[in-house]
Amino acid sequence: MDSIQIHDKHFVPFISRERIDKYVEFLADQITSDLEEGDVPIFIGILNGSFMFAADFMKKFKGDCHITFVKMASYEGVNSTGKIKHLVGINEDLKGKTVIILEDIIDTGNTLAEIYEIFRDKEVKKLKIATLFFKPDVFRKELPIDYIGKSIEDKFVVGYGLDYDGLGRNLPDIYQLKV
Ligand code: IMP
Ligand code: MG
């Protein structure tokens, strides 16, 4: 892996596709073994960032399941704006269902707080959160995160679905902002 440039910024190799694959597998295994027998979960991928993670995760999850995607944007550039747009895309009746959110990365937790808010009145059987990456140093909420693929330091990353101003989502590996 070589260093790359996206727009005005330089990024260095951080997590290889092989490592990412291990984290995704770890999450899929953990979630599979936590489910009650006969429980058919609905996975909800948070777009855009989680599309690649969700696709790889689905291939590793063993058992019956559903998947759908919702979109909510809270991030521009390299700083979380804290402004959350509304959620688009939930048409399913989630009442009595086991819902598992698939997030690419949890940073400040603003998006996560919004997700909890949205699901509060949906009468789901269980709501679980799975995130591929987590930045514990910036997380400011007292909300449970059930499954974490990998905790990382508070530096901006791109690749594997994550973007910097719209670019970099197609990179198969993760790169970290060079400071
Ligand atoms: P939060 O609301 O601050 O937790 O951030 C949530 C969203 O911001 C994530 O789902 C990502 O889409 C985006 N995000 C947070 N950190 C990064 C990063 O390091 N690189 C790219 N996107 C990020
Ligand atoms: Mg996201």
PDB file of all heavy atoms in Angstrom, residues 15-17 20-21 23-25 48-57 59-60 104-105 132-133 157-163 168-175:
ATOM      1  N   ILE A  15      -5.111   0.424   7.477  1.00  0.00           N
ATOM      2  CA  ILE A  15      -5.621  -0.932   7.721  1.00  0.00           C
ATOM      3  C   ILE A  15      -5.830  -1.633   6.377  1.00  0.00           C
ATOM      4  O   ILE A  15      -6.590  -1.161   5.529  1.00  0.00           O
ATOM      5  CB  ILE A  15      -6.950  -0.904   8.523  1.00  0.00           C
ATOM      6  CG1 ILE A  15      -6.759  -0.143   9.849  1.00  0.00           C
ATOM      7  CG2 ILE A  15      -7.449  -2.324   8.791  1.00  0.00           C
ATOM      8  CD1 ILE A  15      -8.053   0.096  10.619  1.00  0.00           C
ATOM      9  N   SER A  16      -5.150  -2.745   6.209  1.00  0.00           N
ATOM     10  CA  SER A  16      -5.211  -3.470   4.934  1.00  0.00           C
ATOM     11  C   SER A  16      -6.547  -4.178   4.766  1.00  0.00           C
ATOM     12  O   SER A  16      -7.258  -4.429   5.734  1.00  0.00           O
ATOM     13  CB  SER A  16      -4.099  -4.523   4.882  1.00  0.00           C
ATOM     14  OG  SER A  16      -4.402  -5.556   5.818  1.00  0.00           O
ATOM     15  N   ARG A  17      -6.869  -4.523   3.532  1.00  0.00           N
ATOM     16  CA  ARG A  17      -8.126  -5.234   3.241  1.00  0.00           C
ATOM     17  C   ARG A  17      -8.198  -6.571   3.988  1.00  0.00           C
ATOM     18  O   ARG A  17      -9.270  -7.011   4.379  1.00  0.00           O
ATOM     19  CB  ARG A  17      -8.303  -5.416   1.726  1.00  0.00           C
ATOM     20  CG  ARG A  17      -7.248  -6.254   1.059  1.00  0.00           C
ATOM     21  CD  ARG A  17      -7.245  -6.063  -0.434  1.00  0.00           C
ATOM     22  NE  ARG A  17      -6.595  -4.804  -0.814  1.00  0.00           N
ATOM     23  CZ  ARG A  17      -6.475  -4.358  -2.052  1.00  0.00           C
ATOM     24  NH1 ARG A  17      -6.992  -5.038  -3.052  1.00  0.00           N
ATOM     25  NH2 ARG A  17      -5.842  -3.232  -2.308  1.00  0.00           N
ATOM     26  N   ILE A  20      -9.233  -5.771   7.528  1.00  0.00           N
ATOM     27  CA  ILE A  20     -10.652  -5.386   7.519  1.00  0.00           C
ATOM     28  C   ILE A  20     -11.511  -6.639   7.460  1.00  0.00           C
ATOM     29  O   ILE A  20     -12.483  -6.790   8.201  1.00  0.00           O
ATOM     30  CB  ILE A  20     -10.982  -4.467   6.312  1.00  0.00           C
ATOM     31  CG1 ILE A  20     -10.205  -3.157   6.406  1.00  0.00           C
ATOM     32  CG2 ILE A  20     -12.488  -4.187   6.244  1.00  0.00           C
ATOM     33  CD1 ILE A  20     -10.252  -2.315   5.130  1.00  0.00           C
ATOM     34  N   ASP A  21     -11.111  -7.549   6.589  1.00  0.00           N
ATOM     35  CA  ASP A  21     -11.854  -8.794   6.420  1.00  0.00           C
ATOM     36  C   ASP A  21     -11.977  -9.560   7.739  1.00  0.00           C
ATOM     37  O   ASP A  21     -13.021 -10.128   8.055  1.00  0.00           O
ATOM     38  CB  ASP A  21     -11.149  -9.652   5.360  1.00  0.00           C
ATOM     39  CG  ASP A  21     -12.060 -10.739   4.828  1.00  0.00           C
ATOM     40  OD1 ASP A  21     -13.054 -10.387   4.176  1.00  0.00           O
ATOM     41  OD2 ASP A  21     -11.789 -11.926   5.114  1.00  0.00           O
ATOM     42  N   TYR A  23     -11.938  -8.218  10.776  1.00  0.00           N
ATOM     43  CA  TYR A  23     -12.858  -7.497  11.660  1.00  0.00           C
ATOM     44  C   TYR A  23     -14.313  -7.773  11.271  1.00  0.00           C
ATOM     45  O   TYR A  23     -15.176  -7.936  12.136  1.00  0.00           O
ATOM     46  CB  TYR A  23     -12.592  -5.987  11.635  1.00  0.00           C
ATOM     47  CG  TYR A  23     -11.186  -5.594  12.016  1.00  0.00           C
ATOM     48  CD1 TYR A  23     -10.513  -4.582  11.348  1.00  0.00           C
ATOM     49  CD2 TYR A  23     -10.517  -6.252  13.053  1.00  0.00           C
ATOM     50  CE1 TYR A  23      -9.218  -4.230  11.692  1.00  0.00           C
ATOM     51  CE2 TYR A  23      -9.218  -5.897  13.399  1.00  0.00           C
ATOM     52  CZ  TYR A  23      -8.575  -4.891  12.708  1.00  0.00           C
ATOM     53  OH  TYR A  23      -7.289  -4.543  13.048  1.00  0.00           O
ATOM     54  N   VAL A  24     -14.561  -7.830   9.973  1.00  0.00           N
ATOM     55  CA  VAL A  24     -15.929  -8.080   9.491  1.00  0.00           C
ATOM     56  C   VAL A  24     -16.350  -9.499   9.883  1.00  0.00           C
ATOM     57  O   VAL A  24     -17.468  -9.721  10.364  1.00  0.00           O
ATOM     58  CB  VAL A  24     -16.025  -7.874   7.960  1.00  0.00           C
ATOM     59  CG1 VAL A  24     -17.424  -8.202   7.453  1.00  0.00           C
ATOM     60  CG2 VAL A  24     -15.658  -6.435   7.582  1.00  0.00           C
ATOM     61  N   GLU A  25     -15.437 -10.423   9.730  1.00  0.00           N
ATOM     62  CA  GLU A  25     -15.723 -11.812  10.084  1.00  0.00           C
ATOM     63  C   GLU A  25     -15.991 -11.959  11.586  1.00  0.00           C
ATOM     64  O   GLU A  25     -16.916 -12.650  12.003  1.00  0.00           O
ATOM     65  CB  GLU A  25     -14.531 -12.685   9.682  1.00  0.00           C
ATOM     66  CG  GLU A  25     -14.842 -14.162   9.700  1.00  0.00           C
ATOM     67  CD  GLU A  25     -13.771 -14.938   8.959  1.00  0.00           C
ATOM     68  OE1 GLU A  25     -13.514 -14.631   7.783  1.00  0.00           O
ATOM     69  OE2 GLU A  25     -13.173 -15.831   9.570  1.00  0.00           O
ATOM     70  N   ASN A  48     -24.098   6.736   3.320  1.00  0.00           N
ATOM     71  CA  ASN A  48     -23.473   5.958   2.254  1.00  0.00           C
ATOM     72  C   ASN A  48     -22.348   5.061   2.782  1.00  0.00           C
ATOM     73  O   ASN A  48     -22.070   4.015   2.201  1.00  0.00           O
ATOM     74  CB  ASN A  48     -22.857   6.898   1.210  1.00  0.00           C
ATOM     75  CG  ASN A  48     -23.927   7.662   0.448  1.00  0.00           C
ATOM     76  OD1 ASN A  48     -25.015   7.165   0.223  1.00  0.00           O
ATOM     77  ND2 ASN A  48     -23.614   8.867   0.065  1.00  0.00           N
ATOM     78  N   GLY A  49     -21.740   5.486   3.876  1.00  0.00           N
ATOM     79  CA  GLY A  49     -20.484   4.885   4.316  1.00  0.00           C
ATOM     80  C   GLY A  49     -20.476   3.380   4.519  1.00  0.00           C
ATOM     81  O   GLY A  49     -19.445   2.740   4.348  1.00  0.00           O
ATOM     82  N   SER A  50     -21.635   2.793   4.877  1.00  0.00           N
ATOM     83  CA  SER A  50     -21.608   1.385   5.268  1.00  0.00           C
ATOM     84  C   SER A  50     -21.872   0.409   4.120  1.00  0.00           C
ATOM     85  O   SER A  50     -21.972  -0.788   4.348  1.00  0.00           O
ATOM     86  CB  SER A  50     -22.600   1.125   6.405  1.00  0.00           C
ATOM     87  OG  SER A  50     -23.913   1.079   5.885  1.00  0.00           O
ATOM     88  N   PHE A  51     -21.986   0.913   2.891  1.00  0.00           N
ATOM     89  CA  PHE A  51     -22.391   0.003   1.808  1.00  0.00           C
ATOM     90  C   PHE A  51     -21.415  -1.153   1.594  1.00  0.00           C
ATOM     91  O   PHE A  51     -21.817  -2.290   1.366  1.00  0.00           O
ATOM     92  CB  PHE A  51     -22.628   0.768   0.492  1.00  0.00           C
ATOM     93  CG  PHE A  51     -21.374   1.189  -0.227  1.00  0.00           C
ATOM     94  CD1 PHE A  51     -20.836   0.401  -1.235  1.00  0.00           C
ATOM     95  CD2 PHE A  51     -20.723   2.362   0.109  1.00  0.00           C
ATOM     96  CE1 PHE A  51     -19.676   0.779  -1.900  1.00  0.00           C
ATOM     97  CE2 PHE A  51     -19.566   2.753  -0.547  1.00  0.00           C
ATOM     98  CZ  PHE A  51     -19.038   1.961  -1.548  1.00  0.00           C
ATOM     99  N   MET A  52     -20.137  -0.883   1.708  1.00  0.00           N
ATOM    100  CA  MET A  52     -19.146  -1.924   1.444  1.00  0.00           C
ATOM    101  C   MET A  52     -19.070  -2.910   2.610  1.00  0.00           C
ATOM    102  O   MET A  52     -19.036  -4.124   2.421  1.00  0.00           O
ATOM    103  CB  MET A  52     -17.781  -1.277   1.203  1.00  0.00           C
ATOM    104  CG  MET A  52     -16.927  -2.043   0.232  1.00  0.00           C
ATOM    105  SD  MET A  52     -15.350  -1.237  -0.103  1.00  0.00           S
ATOM    106  CE  MET A  52     -15.712  -0.283  -1.562  1.00  0.00           C
ATOM    107  N   PHE A  53     -19.077  -2.356   3.802  1.00  0.00           N
ATOM    108  CA  PHE A  53     -19.097  -3.171   5.025  1.00  0.00           C
ATOM    109  C   PHE A  53     -20.338  -4.061   5.035  1.00  0.00           C
ATOM    110  O   PHE A  53     -20.250  -5.272   5.280  1.00  0.00           O
ATOM    111  CB  PHE A  53     -19.057  -2.241   6.240  1.00  0.00           C
ATOM    112  CG  PHE A  53     -19.405  -2.878   7.555  1.00  0.00           C
ATOM    113  CD1 PHE A  53     -18.882  -4.117   7.922  1.00  0.00           C
ATOM    114  CD2 PHE A  53     -20.264  -2.235   8.448  1.00  0.00           C
ATOM    115  CE1 PHE A  53     -19.208  -4.708   9.147  1.00  0.00           C
ATOM    116  CE2 PHE A  53     -20.593  -2.819   9.675  1.00  0.00           C
ATOM    117  CZ  PHE A  53     -20.067  -4.055  10.014  1.00  0.00           C
ATOM    118  N   ALA A  54     -21.501  -3.484   4.738  1.00  0.00           N
ATOM    119  CA  ALA A  54     -22.751  -4.251   4.771  1.00  0.00           C
ATOM    120  C   ALA A  54     -22.708  -5.408   3.774  1.00  0.00           C
ATOM    121  O   ALA A  54     -23.126  -6.523   4.088  1.00  0.00           O
ATOM    122  CB  ALA A  54     -23.937  -3.334   4.488  1.00  0.00           C
ATOM    123  N   ALA A  55     -22.174  -5.150   2.583  1.00  0.00           N
ATOM    124  CA  ALA A  55     -22.097  -6.191   1.552  1.00  0.00           C
ATOM    125  C   ALA A  55     -21.186  -7.334   2.001  1.00  0.00           C
ATOM    126  O   ALA A  55     -21.541  -8.516   1.890  1.00  0.00           O
ATOM    127  CB  ALA A  55     -21.592  -5.594   0.244  1.00  0.00           C
ATOM    128  N   ASP A  56     -20.028  -6.996   2.539  1.00  0.00           N
ATOM    129  CA  ASP A  56     -19.093  -8.033   2.994  1.00  0.00           C
ATOM    130  C   ASP A  56     -19.635  -8.760   4.219  1.00  0.00           C
ATOM    131  O   ASP A  56     -19.485  -9.971   4.358  1.00  0.00           O
ATOM    132  CB  ASP A  56     -17.724  -7.415   3.315  1.00  0.00           C
ATOM    133  CG  ASP A  56     -16.960  -7.066   2.045  1.00  0.00           C
ATOM    134  OD1 ASP A  56     -17.322  -7.587   0.969  1.00  0.00           O
ATOM    135  OD2 ASP A  56     -16.003  -6.281   2.131  1.00  0.00           O
ATOM    136  N   PHE A  57     -20.268  -8.003   5.104  1.00  0.00           N
ATOM    137  CA  PHE A  57     -20.848  -8.590   6.311  1.00  0.00           C
ATOM    138  C   PHE A  57     -21.909  -9.631   5.942  1.00  0.00           C
ATOM    139  O   PHE A  57     -21.934 -10.730   6.506  1.00  0.00           O
ATOM    140  CB  PHE A  57     -21.474  -7.484   7.177  1.00  0.00           C
ATOM    141  CG  PHE A  57     -22.183  -7.989   8.397  1.00  0.00           C
ATOM    142  CD1 PHE A  57     -21.506  -8.164   9.588  1.00  0.00           C
ATOM    143  CD2 PHE A  57     -23.528  -8.311   8.334  1.00  0.00           C
ATOM    144  CE1 PHE A  57     -22.162  -8.665  10.712  1.00  0.00           C
ATOM    145  CE2 PHE A  57     -24.196  -8.798   9.447  1.00  0.00           C
ATOM    146  CZ  PHE A  57     -23.502  -8.980  10.632  1.00  0.00           C
ATOM    147  N   LYS A  59     -22.185 -11.467   3.392  1.00  0.00           N
ATOM    148  CA  LYS A  59     -21.609 -12.693   2.840  1.00  0.00           C
ATOM    149  C   LYS A  59     -21.055 -13.594   3.937  1.00  0.00           C
ATOM    150  O   LYS A  59     -20.893 -14.793   3.749  1.00  0.00           O
ATOM    151  CB  LYS A  59     -20.504 -12.348   1.835  1.00  0.00           C
ATOM    152  CG  LYS A  59     -21.058 -11.790   0.540  1.00  0.00           C
ATOM    153  CD  LYS A  59     -19.977 -11.500  -0.469  1.00  0.00           C
ATOM    154  CE  LYS A  59     -19.507 -10.065  -0.324  1.00  0.00           C
ATOM    155  NZ  LYS A  59     -18.427  -9.732  -1.271  1.00  0.00           N
ATOM    156  N   LYS A  60     -20.777 -13.004   5.091  1.00  0.00           N
ATOM    157  CA  LYS A  60     -20.211 -13.781   6.194  1.00  0.00           C
ATOM    158  C   LYS A  60     -21.244 -14.183   7.235  1.00  0.00           C
ATOM    159  O   LYS A  60     -20.968 -15.008   8.105  1.00  0.00           O
ATOM    160  CB  LYS A  60     -19.092 -12.983   6.873  1.00  0.00           C
ATOM    161  CG  LYS A  60     -17.891 -12.766   5.955  1.00  0.00           C
ATOM    162  CD  LYS A  60     -16.808 -12.031   6.690  1.00  0.00           C
ATOM    163  CE  LYS A  60     -15.706 -11.548   5.769  1.00  0.00           C
ATOM    164  NZ  LYS A  60     -15.011 -12.650   5.084  1.00  0.00           N
ATOM    165  N   ASP A 104     -20.531   2.193   9.504  1.00  0.00           N
ATOM    166  CA  ASP A 104     -19.139   2.129   9.071  1.00  0.00           C
ATOM    167  C   ASP A 104     -18.201   2.551  10.203  1.00  0.00           C
ATOM    168  O   ASP A 104     -17.220   1.892  10.500  1.00  0.00           O
ATOM    169  CB  ASP A 104     -18.906   3.002   7.824  1.00  0.00           C
ATOM    170  CG  ASP A 104     -19.525   4.395   7.952  1.00  0.00           C
ATOM    171  OD1 ASP A 104     -20.140   4.701   9.001  1.00  0.00           O
ATOM    172  OD2 ASP A 104     -19.400   5.181   7.007  1.00  0.00           O
ATOM    173  N   ILE A 105     -18.563   3.701  10.829  1.00  0.00           N
ATOM    174  CA  ILE A 105     -17.684   4.235  11.865  1.00  0.00           C
ATOM    175  C   ILE A 105     -18.512   5.085  12.828  1.00  0.00           C
ATOM    176  O   ILE A 105     -19.442   5.778  12.404  1.00  0.00           O
ATOM    177  CB  ILE A 105     -16.531   5.054  11.216  1.00  0.00           C
ATOM    178  CG1 ILE A 105     -15.467   5.475  12.234  1.00  0.00           C
ATOM    179  CG2 ILE A 105     -17.037   6.254  10.454  1.00  0.00           C
ATOM    180  CD1 ILE A 105     -14.161   5.948  11.594  1.00  0.00           C
ATOM    181  N   LEU A 132     -18.145  -1.051  12.338  1.00  0.00           N
ATOM    182  CA  LEU A 132     -16.857  -1.605  11.939  1.00  0.00           C
ATOM    183  C   LEU A 132     -15.717  -0.897  12.671  1.00  0.00           C
ATOM    184  O   LEU A 132     -14.828  -1.535  13.197  1.00  0.00           O
ATOM    185  CB  LEU A 132     -16.689  -1.476  10.415  1.00  0.00           C
ATOM    186  CG  LEU A 132     -15.409  -2.045   9.822  1.00  0.00           C
ATOM    187  CD1 LEU A 132     -15.225  -3.517  10.169  1.00  0.00           C
ATOM    188  CD2 LEU A 132     -15.399  -1.855   8.309  1.00  0.00           C
ATOM    189  N   PHE A 133     -15.789   0.442  12.727  1.00  0.00           N
ATOM    190  CA  PHE A 133     -14.753   1.214  13.428  1.00  0.00           C
ATOM    191  C   PHE A 133     -15.369   2.132  14.468  1.00  0.00           C
ATOM    192  O   PHE A 133     -16.509   2.582  14.334  1.00  0.00           O
ATOM    193  CB  PHE A 133     -13.929   2.044  12.432  1.00  0.00           C
ATOM    194  CG  PHE A 133     -13.202   1.207  11.424  1.00  0.00           C
ATOM    195  CD1 PHE A 133     -13.579   1.236  10.084  1.00  0.00           C
ATOM    196  CD2 PHE A 133     -12.173   0.365  11.809  1.00  0.00           C
ATOM    197  CE1 PHE A 133     -12.927   0.432   9.153  1.00  0.00           C
ATOM    198  CE2 PHE A 133     -11.517  -0.437  10.884  1.00  0.00           C
ATOM    199  CZ  PHE A 133     -11.896  -0.397   9.555  1.00  0.00           C
ATOM    200  N   VAL A 157     -10.059   8.985   8.632  1.00  0.00           N
ATOM    201  CA  VAL A 157      -9.701   7.870   7.752  1.00  0.00           C
ATOM    202  C   VAL A 157     -10.595   7.843   6.506  1.00  0.00           C
ATOM    203  O   VAL A 157     -11.718   8.334   6.535  1.00  0.00           O
ATOM    204  CB  VAL A 157      -9.780   6.510   8.488  1.00  0.00           C
ATOM    205  CG1 VAL A 157      -8.720   6.399   9.569  1.00  0.00           C
ATOM    206  CG2 VAL A 157     -11.167   6.261   9.094  1.00  0.00           C
ATOM    207  N   VAL A 158     -10.050   7.276   5.439  1.00  0.00           N
ATOM    208  CA  VAL A 158     -10.826   7.092   4.204  1.00  0.00           C
ATOM    209  C   VAL A 158     -10.633   5.683   3.675  1.00  0.00           C
ATOM    210  O   VAL A 158      -9.677   5.000   4.020  1.00  0.00           O
ATOM    211  CB  VAL A 158     -10.414   8.058   3.053  1.00  0.00           C
ATOM    212  CG1 VAL A 158     -10.800   9.482   3.345  1.00  0.00           C
ATOM    213  CG2 VAL A 158      -8.940   7.935   2.726  1.00  0.00           C
ATOM    214  N   GLY A 159     -11.552   5.276   2.787  1.00  0.00           N
ATOM    215  CA  GLY A 159     -11.467   3.977   2.135  1.00  0.00           C
ATOM    216  C   GLY A 159     -12.524   3.028   2.663  1.00  0.00           C
ATOM    217  O   GLY A 159     -13.152   3.287   3.681  1.00  0.00           O
ATOM    218  N   TYR A 160     -12.727   1.954   1.925  1.00  0.00           N
ATOM    219  CA  TYR A 160     -13.690   0.921   2.306  1.00  0.00           C
ATOM    220  C   TYR A 160     -15.058   1.533   2.655  1.00  0.00           C
ATOM    221  O   TYR A 160     -15.652   1.266   3.682  1.00  0.00           O
ATOM    222  CB  TYR A 160     -13.141   0.098   3.488  1.00  0.00           C
ATOM    223  CG  TYR A 160     -13.869  -1.214   3.686  1.00  0.00           C
ATOM    224  CD1 TYR A 160     -13.689  -2.270   2.789  1.00  0.00           C
ATOM    225  CD2 TYR A 160     -14.753  -1.403   4.749  1.00  0.00           C
ATOM    226  CE1 TYR A 160     -14.359  -3.464   2.960  1.00  0.00           C
ATOM    227  CE2 TYR A 160     -15.433  -2.602   4.918  1.00  0.00           C
ATOM    228  CZ  TYR A 160     -15.223  -3.621   4.027  1.00  0.00           C
ATOM    229  OH  TYR A 160     -15.910  -4.818   4.199  1.00  0.00           O
ATOM    230  N   GLY A 161     -15.513   2.429   1.786  1.00  0.00           N
ATOM    231  CA  GLY A 161     -16.817   3.057   1.980  1.00  0.00           C
ATOM    232  C   GLY A 161     -16.757   4.444   2.583  1.00  0.00           C
ATOM    233  O   GLY A 161     -17.677   5.237   2.414  1.00  0.00           O
ATOM    234  N   LEU A 162     -15.677   4.739   3.282  1.00  0.00           N
ATOM    235  CA  LEU A 162     -15.543   6.055   3.939  1.00  0.00           C
ATOM    236  C   LEU A 162     -14.926   7.068   2.979  1.00  0.00           C
ATOM    237  O   LEU A 162     -13.970   6.745   2.271  1.00  0.00           O
ATOM    238  CB  LEU A 162     -14.658   5.932   5.178  1.00  0.00           C
ATOM    239  CG  LEU A 162     -15.239   5.086   6.303  1.00  0.00           C
ATOM    240  CD1 LEU A 162     -14.135   4.611   7.243  1.00  0.00           C
ATOM    241  CD2 LEU A 162     -16.266   5.894   7.070  1.00  0.00           C
ATOM    242  N   ASP A 163     -15.443   8.280   3.005  1.00  0.00           N
ATOM    243  CA  ASP A 163     -14.974   9.282   2.050  1.00  0.00           C
ATOM    244  C   ASP A 163     -14.336  10.489   2.712  1.00  0.00           C
ATOM    245  O   ASP A 163     -14.565  10.770   3.888  1.00  0.00           O
ATOM    246  CB  ASP A 163     -16.151   9.778   1.211  1.00  0.00           C
ATOM    247  CG  ASP A 163     -17.090  10.671   2.032  1.00  0.00           C
ATOM    248  OD1 ASP A 163     -17.542  10.225   3.104  1.00  0.00           O
ATOM    249  OD2 ASP A 163     -17.343  11.819   1.625  1.00  0.00           O
ATOM    250  N   GLY A 168     -12.813   8.577  -2.334  1.00  0.00           N
ATOM    251  CA  GLY A 168     -12.090   7.582  -1.537  1.00  0.00           C
ATOM    252  C   GLY A 168     -12.925   6.376  -1.127  1.00  0.00           C
ATOM    253  O   GLY A 168     -12.384   5.417  -0.584  1.00  0.00           O
ATOM    254  N   ARG A 169     -14.207   6.401  -1.394  1.00  0.00           N
ATOM    255  CA  ARG A 169     -15.070   5.298  -0.937  1.00  0.00           C
ATOM    256  C   ARG A 169     -14.721   3.974  -1.608  1.00  0.00           C
ATOM    257  O   ARG A 169     -14.947   2.915  -1.053  1.00  0.00           O
ATOM    258  CB  ARG A 169     -16.538   5.601  -1.239  1.00  0.00           C
ATOM    259  CG  ARG A 169     -17.120   6.774  -0.457  1.00  0.00           C
ATOM    260  CD  ARG A 169     -18.638   6.764  -0.572  1.00  0.00           C
ATOM    261  NE  ARG A 169     -19.252   8.016  -0.173  1.00  0.00           N
ATOM    262  CZ  ARG A 169     -19.543   8.348   1.090  1.00  0.00           C
ATOM    263  NH1 ARG A 169     -19.260   7.515   2.074  1.00  0.00           N
ATOM    264  NH2 ARG A 169     -20.116   9.495   1.365  1.00  0.00           N
ATOM    265  N   ASN A 170     -14.181   4.047  -2.810  1.00  0.00           N
ATOM    266  CA  ASN A 170     -13.888   2.836  -3.582  1.00  0.00           C
ATOM    267  C   ASN A 170     -12.576   2.164  -3.204  1.00  0.00           C
ATOM    268  O   ASN A 170     -12.278   1.082  -3.686  1.00  0.00           O
ATOM    269  CB  ASN A 170     -13.868   3.183  -5.073  1.00  0.00           C
ATOM    270  CG  ASN A 170     -12.890   4.295  -5.399  1.00  0.00           C
ATOM    271  OD1 ASN A 170     -12.774   5.261  -4.647  1.00  0.00           O
ATOM    272  ND2 ASN A 170     -12.187   4.171  -6.492  1.00  0.00           N
ATOM    273  N   LEU A 171     -11.784   2.779  -2.341  1.00  0.00           N
ATOM    274  CA  LEU A 171     -10.510   2.168  -1.960  1.00  0.00           C
ATOM    275  C   LEU A 171     -10.760   0.906  -1.132  1.00  0.00           C
ATOM    276  O   LEU A 171     -11.501   0.942  -0.165  1.00  0.00           O
ATOM    277  CB  LEU A 171      -9.678   3.159  -1.135  1.00  0.00           C
ATOM    278  CG  LEU A 171      -9.279   4.459  -1.850  1.00  0.00           C
ATOM    279  CD1 LEU A 171      -8.846   5.507  -0.822  1.00  0.00           C
ATOM    280  CD2 LEU A 171      -8.177   4.180  -2.857  1.00  0.00           C
ATOM    281  N   PRO A 172     -10.120  -0.209  -1.482  1.00  0.00           N
ATOM    282  CA  PRO A 172     -10.355  -1.460  -0.745  1.00  0.00           C
ATOM    283  C   PRO A 172      -9.698  -1.490   0.642  1.00  0.00           C
ATOM    284  O   PRO A 172     -10.052  -2.312   1.473  1.00  0.00           O
ATOM    285  CB  PRO A 172      -9.744  -2.543  -1.624  1.00  0.00           C
ATOM    286  CG  PRO A 172      -9.462  -1.895  -2.943  1.00  0.00           C
ATOM    287  CD  PRO A 172      -9.289  -0.434  -2.681  1.00  0.00           C
ATOM    288  N   ASP A 173      -8.734  -0.602   0.872  1.00  0.00           N
ATOM    289  CA  ASP A 173      -8.038  -0.547   2.161  1.00  0.00           C
ATOM    290  C   ASP A 173      -8.369   0.783   2.846  1.00  0.00           C
ATOM    291  O   ASP A 173      -8.898   1.698   2.227  1.00  0.00           O
ATOM    292  CB  ASP A 173      -6.520  -0.644   1.958  1.00  0.00           C
ATOM    293  CG  ASP A 173      -6.130  -1.814   1.066  1.00  0.00           C
ATOM    294  OD1 ASP A 173      -6.131  -2.958   1.558  1.00  0.00           O
ATOM    295  OD2 ASP A 173      -5.873  -1.578  -0.139  1.00  0.00           O
ATOM    296  N   ILE A 174      -7.988   0.881   4.133  1.00  0.00           N
ATOM    297  CA  ILE A 174      -8.234   2.118   4.881  1.00  0.00           C
ATOM    298  C   ILE A 174      -6.928   2.928   4.982  1.00  0.00           C
ATOM    299  O   ILE A 174      -5.867   2.374   5.279  1.00  0.00           O
ATOM    300  CB  ILE A 174      -8.749   1.807   6.306  1.00  0.00           C
ATOM    301  CG1 ILE A 174     -10.055   1.020   6.267  1.00  0.00           C
ATOM    302  CG2 ILE A 174      -8.887   3.088   7.129  1.00  0.00           C
ATOM    303  CD1 ILE A 174     -11.323   1.831   6.198  1.00  0.00           C
ATOM    304  N   TYR A 175      -7.066   4.227   4.750  1.00  0.00           N
ATOM    305  CA  TYR A 175      -5.939   5.162   4.842  1.00  0.00           C
ATOM    306  C   TYR A 175      -6.238   6.195   5.916  1.00  0.00           C
ATOM    307  O   TYR A 175      -7.385   6.567   6.138  1.00  0.00           O
ATOM    308  CB  TYR A 175      -5.734   5.869   3.500  1.00  0.00           C
ATOM    309  CG  TYR A 175      -5.311   4.934   2.397  1.00  0.00           C
ATOM    310  CD1 TYR A 175      -6.254   4.140   1.750  1.00  0.00           C
ATOM    311  CD2 TYR A 175      -3.982   4.829   2.011  1.00  0.00           C
ATOM    312  CE1 TYR A 175      -5.880   3.251   0.751  1.00  0.00           C
ATOM    313  CE2 TYR A 175      -3.592   3.951   1.005  1.00  0.00           C
ATOM    314  CZ  TYR A 175      -4.547   3.165   0.376  1.00  0.00           C
ATOM    315  OH  TYR A 175      -4.165   2.278  -0.608  1.00  0.00           O
TER     316      TYR A 175
END
